[in-house]
Amino acid sequence: METFTPRKIVAELDKYIIGQHSAKRMVAIALRNRWRRRQVPEELRDEIAPKNIIMIGPTGVGKTEIARRLAKLAQSPFLKVEASKFTEVGYVGRDVESMIRDLLEIGISMVKEEEYESLRPKAEEQAEERLLDILLPMRPQRKLRRAPVAAVPSEQNGELEVAQRTREKFRRMLRNGRLNDREVEIETQTSAIPVVEVFSPAGMEEMDINLKDMFSNIFPSKTKRRRVKVPEALQMLVQEELGRLIDTDKVTKMAKERVEQTGIVFIDELDKIAGAPGSVHGPDVSREGVQRDLLPIIEGSTVNTKHGVIRTDHILFVAAGAFHVSKPSDLIPEIQGRFPLRAELSALTREDFVRILTEPKNALVTQYEELLRTEGVTLDFTEEAIREIASLAEEVNERAENIGARRRHTIMEKLLEEISFEAPDMQGVTVSISRQMVRERLQEIVKSEDLSRYIL
């Protein structure tokens, strides 16, 4: 995290997300504070609690995209969940504690990948030796009858030198790819555990995993001989060696520490568990009940997992919601207090749409140009055409449901529908997308409010 200052984090987010500068600054500071906390004296470190963030704004303005890009920059365990998938404890559905268990599994996978990278050179070396043993099986030593005592070592040494030279020759051929077409027979392990599907109540999601662990001790793994090409055999042997070399206890210990100290959970669709406006019928199972179950996890508690206990005191929680029906004040006060920082994301304007279509590295115009280039068709968007697309997207958002930047997908797909269909028969053709073409293909639909509601 030393290399990712808040300014660099915002610059990276700017490559994919247009506008929303205040939200980007807020998550960048929160991410940097994770690193700063690790540098303070240890006696003060536990006293510094993460400042949880809630992002508020209409759908399609970049809340989830900020989380997706943040995950790639975080260099720490990151989990995105939807609040609407959870239910109160005691009811059918996912328990909110399962998000911490999922976060730990992600942390274990991250640490395991890092360990694999450090152990890979040794694993590749051992796999290569095993593959050479398969390609050049050792011949049994010949028994010399009535031979002079001094002749036995010399003959054995000669055979060993020949075998070593042959082995080195095969090693060079293997590394140069000259044995890639040869098939070899190797033994692979197959699981003998029966398939068991478990339907369990909330809080028991790991029952099937625990059953698999139990069955793995009862049913030993079986070996199966397969004939595969040399490159595939080498990869399979490398994976086997990595599994033997890695220390699972060390991986689990490192992952637990990383999750507890630097873990980040992004809770999307928080507005979906807010109480309905004007509701006086008590807490709803899927709303206030979920909020109450979230309270201790966000505040800081212990969660039991199959790998041990995880403390959530220093896990950063970032929440997001459109709040187009409910509002943040509809959340219970305790939840509001556990998200002290709030970032409000603004609705997209026409100029924002123009920038979204052209500026990001994954801009939609660039995507369609590259997609059709695979068919030999060249798309040429004029500046006026892009502005017209942005104008129509803004107009439809105002007249129908405002779905933000997602509107560009429906408009672009409708605009290029005919070209995409005919593209295989248009190889070598350059299609110029002008403002007039955009008007002709979309204006009639945009004018009709009923059609635009269902088509765009």
Side-chain angles (χ1 to χ4, degrees), residues 81-122:
V81 295
E82 284 77 32
S84 55
K85 289 187 177 180
F86 299 105
T87 61
E88 188 178 359
V89 170
Y91 293 87
V92 175
R94 295 209 73 190
D95 180 9
V96 292
E97 289 187 351
S98 64
M99 68 174 69
I100 305 302
R101 290 191 279 267
D102 293 342
L103 185 66
L104 178 57
E105 294 298 330
I106 291 172
I108 290 175
S109 297
M110 287 183 61
V111 176
K112 195 174 288 186
E113 286 298 321
E114 294 172 6
E115 290 294 302
Y116 279 163
E117 288 304 314
S118 62
L119 295 171
R120 188 169 292 277
K122 185 176 181 180

Side-chain angles (χ1 to χ4, degrees), residues 23-73:
K24 292 175 186 174
R25 286 172 61 93
M26 193 172 289
V27 297
I29 293 170
L31 198 59
R32 183 64 176 183
N33 281 340
R34 311 294 283 160
W35 175 82
R36 290 169 178 160
R37 177 180 163 273
R38 302 298 300 275
Q39 314 307 315
V40 301
E42 191 170 352
E43 60 271 13
L44 184 62
R45 193 177 302 167
D46 289 339
E47 303 299 325
I48 301 176
K51 310 303 185 292
N52 298 324
I53 303 168
I54 179 170
M55 293 190 287
I56 304 167
T59 184
V61 296
K63 302 186 297 297
T64 306
E65 189 66 17
I66 287 175
R68 287 181 59 234
R69 300 300 169 183
L70 192 66
K72 296 183 179 181
L73 301 175

